Amino acid sequence: MDEWENYAVPLYKSPVTTDKLSVEKLQEQLNTAKKALTEITSTRQEIYRGGTLVGLEATEDAKIAYDALAAIGGDDE
């Protein structure tokens, strides 16, 4: 057994704090993440065919950000 395991607290025994300040800080962090992901979802790349610009499509990062937003869910406010 590693030395650190003597100090590990099982998750089911760890204290849970839901004080107002902690909840507000987590909400602020979530809102910041949502804003960043929303901005990323709007990134587009130019599509060329035969040297001619034919349109724009979402970047791979935009697709990943869109999936992340879907996993987080909508606004509860």
Side-chain angles (χ1 to χ4, degrees), residues 56-71:
L56 301 172
E57 77 174 11
T59 63
E60 279 302 310
D61 290 342
K63 294 172 187 175
I64 293 167
Y66 182 81
D67 290 343
L69 280 171

Side-chain angles (χ1 to χ4, degrees), residues 7 15 54 72:
Y7 302 103
V54 294
I72 291 172

Side-chain angles (χ1 to χ4, degrees), residues 39-58:
E39 289 179 18
I40 294 168
T41 61
S42 66
T43 58
R44 300 289 182 255
Q45 60 191 7
E46 297 174 341
I47 305 300
Y48 289 90
R49 291 199 182 106
T52 303
L53 178 64
V54 294
L56 301 172
E57 77 174 11

Side-chain angles (χ1 to χ4, degrees), residues 23-38:
V23 171
E24 287 174 358
K25 182 172 176 94
L26 288 172
Q27 186 63 52
E28 181 181 333
Q29 291 172 336
L30 177 61
N31 291 343
T32 301
K34 282 183 176 183
K35 181 178 178 183
L37 289 169
T38 300

